[in-house]
Amino acid sequence: MKKILFITGTRADYSKIKSLMHRVQNSSEFELYIFATGMHLSKNFGYTVKELYKNGFKNIYEFINYDKYYQTNKALATTIDGFSRYVNELKPDLIVVHGDRIEPLAAAIVGALNNILVAHIEGGEISGTIDDSLRHAISKLAHIHLVNDEFAKRRLMQLGEDEKSIFIIGSPDLELLNDNKISLSEAKKYYDINYENYALLMFHPVTTEITSIKNQADNLVKALIQSNKNYIVIYPNNDLGFELILQSYEELKNNPRFKLFPSLRFEYFITLLKNADFIIGNSSCILKEALYLKTAGILVGSRQNGRLGNENTLKVNANSDEILKAINTIHKKQDLFSAKLEILDSSKLFFEYLQSGEFFKLSTQKVFKDIK
Ligand code: UDP
């Protein structure tokens, strides 16, 4: 039986791979293995590995890749080391990685150097930060590309990737939106939220803007307090500068208008997002899930500058006056984006390619393809 190994380092990649992992786990032809690491193992970030168990996954190998300083480059080296030891034991037939963080980069390096096929999900995207460099580097190491759309496919070809190795499967988290069964009252009860109306805040550090992050977060906090609305605040990811944002959030902790959480369970998060007045911050979900659910979004700062759809979304600098003005003008269920977000049966497509043997025909020896 072929062994398929997924790596997951955060709630963000987990929501994109879980439907694919379920297909593999439920099949009789493949064995699923999961290498769980990164933020999943950190109590400070919600210890989200518990979600994997709650969702019924087995064969989970837990690996702590950071120390208390959360240094990204050190965590990269540690993950390469830990993942390569695991892979040497397991000998998987395929490694599946998602996105643009150091964990998938580490796994792609290990796969490429050990002649193990690597499939990369959501390559060819552009966000406009250091994430782009990581994502493109992962794509250059991966042998198989599972992308969102034609735009992403074209960008990968521009990077010299072979068209035959690129498969459009759509964004796997979007297909989960329609299946979500958690009601608003359930979600509110689970997280003890008593607000009638509320907005969501998700703000991550832009690592190249480290010198101004504290100021950006302070401005954001000031505007949100002045807005007099209720907020569900979700902690940032562990990128360089996250402590500065958490320091600013200290001011929100005893304010009854703010409820802070390290992370919410995906299905509950989606329900709360769907029913929110708006979402503010710089999370990718402002341009994905929120758009699809028609929840209005306010993008703060530069983190999503290159992403599709950002030009049609309300965008402000991290300046408290601008933020406050945006909050006071945004309307619930605003139709902000005219382009249609197409939802594909991502996990089905992925599994069909896996089953047909299509992926395994590809070679670990890559050939750079010049653009014609
Ligand atoms: N997410 C979740 N629970 C949360 C926050 C986020 O399940 O409390 C999921 C959701 O699918 C979202 C994704 O994680 O789209 C990415 O969110 P995040 O802002 O953490 O990361 P980004 O993609 O902006 O790096």
Side-chain angles (χ1 to χ4, degrees):
M1 228 194 286
K2 283 199 159 44
K3 295 176 183 170
I4 315 296
L5 170 60
F6 284 73
I7 182 168
T8 175
T10 73
R11 64 182 177 216
D13 68 44
Y14 178 58
S15 62
K16 274 109 189 164
I17 59 175
K18 68 188 257 189
S19 60
L20 277 50
M21 296 200 302
H22 273 305
R23 293 261 178 185
V24 177
Q25 181 160 287
N26 295 337
S27 82
S28 50
E29 299 142 83
F30 303 99
E31 276 176 4
L32 173 72
Y33 292 86
I34 303 170
F35 189 91
T37 184
M39 291 165 67
H40 281 310
L41 278 308
S42 165
K43 297 237 163 39
N44 291 338
F45 290 98
Y47 193 66
T48 45
V49 69
K50 64 179 184 280
E51 281 305 297
L52 278 71
Y53 294 102
K54 278 186 190 161
N55 292 158
F57 289 116
K58 301 182 189 80
N59 294 341
I60 302 168
Y61 182 82
E62 296 182 16
F63 180 75
I64 296 178
N65 66 352
Y66 55 83
D67 55 24
K68 64 177 178 172
Y69 303 108
Y70 290 102
Q71 282 172 305
T72 314
N73 41 359
K74 213 170 145 194
L76 172 63
T78 308
T79 314
I80 292 174
D81 187 26
F83 192 76
S84 62
R85 285 165 200 257
Y86 181 68
V87 157
N88 285 340
E89 272 302 311
L90 183 70
K91 306 212 181 323
D93 297 282
L94 175 70
I95 295 170
V96 185
V97 306
H98 170 274
D100 48 30
R101 303 189 64 80
I102 53 126
E103 289 84 4
L105 177 61
I109 290 171
V110 171
L113 293 177
N114 288 281
N115 281 322
I116 303 167
L117 284 171
V118 176
H120 181 210
I121 303 166
E122 291 203 314
E125 297 288 303
I126 304 184
S127 54
T129 61
I130 184 75
D131 298 351
D132 282 349
S133 309
L134 297 180
R135 192 180 315 106
H136 300 329
I138 297 166
S139 291
K140 286 310 301 177
L141 293 158
H143 314 95
I144 300 157
H145 308 282
L146 307 170
V147 302
N148 277 344
D149 50 32
E150 282 293 338
F151 298 109
K153 178 174 175 174
R154 272 215 305 271
R155 287 192 201 104
L156 288 179
M157 289 168 69
Q158 205 177 331
L159 287 175
E161 295 303 291
D162 188 346
E163 188 170 4
K164 290 195 201 72
S165 68
I166 309 173
F167 304 85
I168 297 178
I169 66 161
S171 188
D173 53 337
L174 293 183
E175 70 177 343
L176 298 174
L177 299 184
N178 293 332
D179 296 340
N180 190 11
K181 306 220 167 28
I182 303 297
S183 68
L184 180 61
S185 54
E186 260 176 288
K188 281 186 170 177
K189 192 167 169 222
Y190 192 87
Y191 287 109
D192 193 22
I193 293 162
N194 299 313
Y195 309 138
E196 182 62 30
N197 298 305
Y198 62 88
L200 287 179
L201 165 65
M202 284 169 84
F203 190 66
H204 304 291
V206 175
T207 57
T208 45
E209 296 172 5
I210 186 75
T211 52
S212 68
I213 287 171
K214 182 71 173 76
N215 190 251
Q216 293 180 26
D218 284 344
N219 290 345
L220 183 57
V221 162
K222 186 174 162 204
L224 298 196
I225 292 173
Q226 283 179 359
S227 75
N228 257 336
K229 294 188 185 298
N230 303 315
Y231 292 92
I232 295 171
V233 182
I234 299 166
Y235 281 10
N237 65 25
N238 62 352
D239 280 345
L240 182 73
F242 77 90
E243 301 100 327
L244 300 168
I245 295 177
L246 292 181
Q247 276 169 25
S248 303
Y249 288 177
E250 282 297 313
E251 209 181 325
L252 306 175
K253 282 201 170 144
N254 295 318
N255 187 326
R257 290 195 176 278
F258 293 84
K259 285 242 4 143
L260 286 84
F261 301 94
S263 194
L264 305 176
R265 300 184 68 182
F266 177 73
E267 288 76 9
Y268 294 70
F269 166 76
I270 291 300
T271 298
L272 289 166
L273 174 62
K274 187 174 174 183
N275 291 283
D277 286 348
F278 61 91
I279 171 167
I280 184 164
N282 59 11
S283 166
S284 68
C285 82
I286 296 181
L287 295 176
K288 284 182 78 186
E289 289 100 322
L291 266 189
Y292 180 76
L293 297 168
K294 293 203 181 310
T295 297
I298 303 173
L299 275 176
V300 179
S302 66
R303 187 166 183 263
Q304 302 298 341
N305 269 359
R307 220 182 266 280
L308 189 70
N310 109 85
E311 64 284 1
N312 298 320
T313 304
L314 187 49
K315 240 179 93 189
V316 291
N317 294 309
N319 159 306
S320 43
D321 289 342
E322 274 190 53
I323 297 170
L324 191 58
K325 198 165 152 223
I327 293 172
N328 289 333
T329 50
I330 194 113
H331 296 296
K332 196 178 180 206
K333 306 288 168 201
Q334 207 169 2
D335 218 352
L336 292 158
F337 189 38
S338 50
K340 242 180 89 209
L341 264 178
E342 202 188 352
I343 298 196
L344 302 179
D345 285 338
S346 305
S347 60
K348 184 165 171 272
L349 287 169
F350 165 78
F351 194 69
E352 280 170 3
Y353 287 128
L354 190 66
Q355 231 176 359
S356 68
E358 201 86 0
F359 297 158
F360 300 105
K361 285 185 206 146
L362 292 162
S363 169
T364 50
Q365 177 58 64
K366 294 180 64 169
V367 178
F368 191 96
K369 297 278 180 184
D370 282 320
I371 305 173
K372 288 195 192 79

